[in-house]
Amino acid sequence: MSELRLHLMQYEEDIAVARLEPGESPHWNWRSGPLQSVTATNSETSVICAYAEVPTGVTVQGPLRGFEIAGPLDFSMVGVMSGLLEPLARKAIAILAISTYDTDWILVRADQAEEAAVVWRRYGHTVMPARLSAGGAP
């Protein structure tokens, strides 16, 4: 287990991960919610956005809740994700991880968000509502 103690900001807004065909662009307001991303590969286009914005008929997973690791994180840091994900795996909490330049995000099912926060606190991490921790770690 990692001895690294991290500060996570927990967002209350529902987040979706939607799947589109390769090369397809979202035809809705995907630039809303605490995390927005369009990622394209040769086999699909994935859109992360506010759950409420995804139109009916689009393949979607969610609602999910986002946890942002307070950053910026140095690219040379080792064990950040494993220290956070191993305890969740032991509790059968599935995740989706996504990285930005400055930090990492962990998405969990909305109905398991509080359980994930409890697990992380037991492991010595700080989890606070995003509205109270805006601007980074205390």
Side-chain angles (χ1 to χ4, degrees), residues 33-75:
L35 177 64
Q36 310 101 47
S37 175
V38 175
T39 305
T41 68
N42 291 334
S43 59
E44 65 162 313
T45 300
S46 293
V47 181
I48 298 174
C49 64
Y51 186 80
E53 296 294 337
V54 181
T56 302
V58 173
T59 302
V60 66
Q61 290 290 318
L64 306 168
R65 295 289 169 81
F67 293 86
E68 177 186 4
I69 302 168
L73 301 176
D74 190 297
F75 274 72

Side-chain angles (χ1 to χ4, degrees), residues 22-42:
E24 188 178 354
S25 295
H27 55 278
W28 67 87
N29 177 23
W30 64 273
R31 294 182 186 264
S32 63
L35 177 64
Q36 310 101 47
S37 175
V38 175
T39 305
T41 68
N42 291 334

Side-chain angles (χ1 to χ4, degrees), residues 84-100:
L84 292 169
L85 301 185
E86 286 175 19
L88 296 186
R90 287 188 200 106
K91 293 291 188 179
I93 298 174
I95 66 97
L96 172 72
I98 186 166
S99 296
T100 67

